[in-house]
Amino acid sequence: MDYAKKIVYQSNYWYNDGLRKAQIRDMSGAVKSLKISLQFNRENIAARNLLGLVYYGIGEVAEALVEWIISKNLRPRDNIADYYIKKVQASANELETINQAVKKYNQCLGYCRQNGEDLAIIQLKQVITSHPSFLKAHQLLALLYLHTEQYSRARQILRIARRLDTANEITLRYMHELTVRRGKSRRAGKKKKEDAVEYSMGNETIIQPRHSAVKEMASHLAVANIFIGAAIGAAIIWFLVAPAVDQFRSERLNSQMREYSEQIDTLEAQISAQTRTLDNYRAQSESAEADAQKAAGTSDSYENLISVMEQYRSGSYESNALADSLLNITRDNLGDNGKAQYDELTGAIYPRACENRMSEGQEALNAGNYENAIEALSKVVRMDAGYGEGEALFRLAEAYRGNGDNENASAYFQRVVDEYGDSRYAQDAADNLAAISGTSDSSSGTGDSSGE
């Protein structure tokens, strides 16, 4: 068996191992096996599609889409990944619900760091209701229940998490911790029970504390205490009847005042809680709007990236058009695989496009068509700010100056001086800065003189 066949064999072996684990819902084990399969053969379409399904099964929809998009790019035709992608995109409301659930989960992590366990628990309940297969949300909610000693609720949530992923290491560790804590709780309850005496009277069972040595001694003095108490009681009745009545009235009045004060404090606490809740809803609304905009930007970036990849691989493309499409992609919105594809495309397309746009910008600048020069040269600077060892920045500054925009011209001339001080454009840039500065000072002086 040659080297290539061994690699394919190993990839298929780990794919079958991942398939067996996925069938018994050992999702974490399936993810590990399928990643190893893809390390041996990144073009194993079956392994990549199954990895996407496993991610989808534990609520990681974004990771699932990434795997299916890569699979579709590797095999554009006869690929079930295309069906999965369309299935997810067809339900826009469900996709938005999942996106909001992920954002709320991230907010809960922030609440936990700020000791806001109660708010985190309330919001996590909403997350698992709207996104029942979100494994990480179930695990975080179970951890919060453990932290707040709500063991029965923690057990219910961990059972659901176990059904989602039977062999997940985090879930198993939490279940072990729950068992340990419940054992300690039972032992503490048993110890308290041993400190009491239990006996039956008729059909009733009576539990009372054990008698200590002091209590047994006190029983022998009960008769003496009765006589002493009677004497003291008579003295109190004789000397303190009237003051006791006044004191009783005073205490009753004070008790009423305390009740009123507690009612006022309760109302103030309710108002404060409602105010905080309203502030949280407002903040969530603003955050949801920002997240929706970011999600739309991410979707557009992936669509543009896929379009550029298809055109580039077809071999029939125009460098300037592909470069313009790449400029419309926000790299930070892409995942790790998307960023790698983006960097590969820019490395292959930008050099040729920079050369073309630089030539267009120079021709427009020589012809005095400064607006077209600014448009072309700005694209060169966005693709490669250091193109031509500062030449692109210098020509763009000249175009802005020719168009009467001295502010932008000064900014780009200054960049040439600061970033490319050793280039042949640095001295010319410095001279232009001085000329612009002199023109500005002259205009200012003329204005002062006319004012006088």
Side-chain angles (χ1 to χ4, degrees), residues 358-378:
M358 189 68 189
S359 178
E360 293 176 7
Q362 187 65 56
E363 291 178 2
L365 184 63
N366 293 337
N369 191 349
Y370 299 116
E371 291 184 357
N372 290 345
I374 290 171
E375 181 181 358
L377 293 171
S378 295

Side-chain angles (χ1 to χ4, degrees), residues 153-164 171 175:
R153 294 183 178 180
R155 181 177 59 185
Q156 293 174 357
I157 296 300
L158 287 174
R159 285 177 177 175
I160 298 173
R162 184 77 182 274
R163 287 197 293 269
L164 292 174
T171 302
M175 294 183 74

Side-chain angles (χ1 to χ4, degrees), residues 70 81 89 96 119 144 163 187 232 272 285-286 323 335 361 382 386 421 448:
I70 295 173
Q89 291 177 341
E96 178 63 21
L119 287 174
L144 290 173
R163 287 197 293 269
R187 287 194 294 272
I232 295 173
S272 177
S285 177
E286 294 174 356
R382 289 178 62 191
D448 294 342

Side-chain angles (χ1 to χ4, degrees), residues 234-301:
I236 292 174
I237 293 172
W238 181 261
F239 294 103
L240 301 177
V241 171
V245 173
D246 294 337
Q247 183 179 0
F248 173 75
R249 292 176 179 174
S250 177
E251 289 178 353
R252 185 172 60 182
L253 181 60
N254 291 334
S255 177
Q256 291 177 350
M257 293 298 295
R258 282 195 298 271
E259 290 178 0
Y260 294 148
S261 179
E262 290 175 357
Q263 291 177 1
I264 293 172
D265 292 341
T266 301
L267 291 174
E268 290 179 349
Q270 291 176 354
I271 293 172
S272 177
Q274 291 175 355
T275 302
R276 287 196 301 270
T277 302
L278 181 59
D279 293 339
N280 288 335
Y281 283 148
R282 290 173 177 170
Q284 290 173 5
S285 177
E286 294 174 356
S287 175
E289 184 177 355
D291 291 339
Q293 294 177 355
K294 184 177 180 181
T298 300
S299 176
D300 293 341
S301 296

Side-chain angles (χ1 to χ4, degrees), residues 44-174:
N44 191 335
I45 301 301
R48 195 173 293 279
N49 288 340
L50 180 57
L51 180 58
L53 286 174
V54 172
Y55 277 136
Y56 189 85
I58 57 176
E60 303 289 344
V61 179
E63 295 294 336
L65 285 173
V66 169
E67 296 300 331
W68 292 334
I69 289 172
I70 295 173
S71 173
K72 182 181 177 182
N73 290 328
L74 292 175
R75 184 189 292 174
R77 296 182 179 179
D78 299 330
N79 192 340
I80 197 171
D82 188 38
Y83 168 77
Y84 296 150
I85 295 171
K86 291 180 179 178
K87 192 72 174 177
V88 173
Q89 291 177 341
S91 180
N93 292 333
E94 181 180 358
L95 192 60
E96 178 63 21
T97 300
I98 294 173
N99 184 47
Q100 292 300 323
V102 173
K103 300 309 175 184
K104 289 182 178 180
Y105 168 79
N106 293 331
Q107 288 180 352
C108 290
L109 293 176
Y111 292 152
C112 293
R113 296 188 187 98
Q114 300 169 6
N115 297 323
E117 288 85 356
D118 293 339
L119 287 174
I121 289 173
I122 293 172
Q123 189 146 306
L124 281 171
K125 289 180 180 178
Q126 299 174 358
V127 170
I128 63 176
T129 300
S130 61
H131 191 10
S133 63
F134 196 0
L135 177 62
K136 290 182 178 179
H138 286 85
Q139 291 173 337
L140 181 57
L141 181 57
L143 179 61
L144 290 173
Y145 280 144
L146 282 172
H147 182 66
T148 55
E149 300 182 356
Q150 302 180 55
Y151 299 132
S152 60
R153 294 183 178 180
R155 181 177 59 185
Q156 293 174 357
I157 296 300
L158 287 174
R159 285 177 177 175
I160 298 173
R162 184 77 182 274
R163 287 197 293 269
L164 292 174
D165 188 355
T166 59
N168 186 273
E169 182 180 352
I170 295 176
T171 302
L172 296 177
R173 187 162 66 245
Y174 289 170

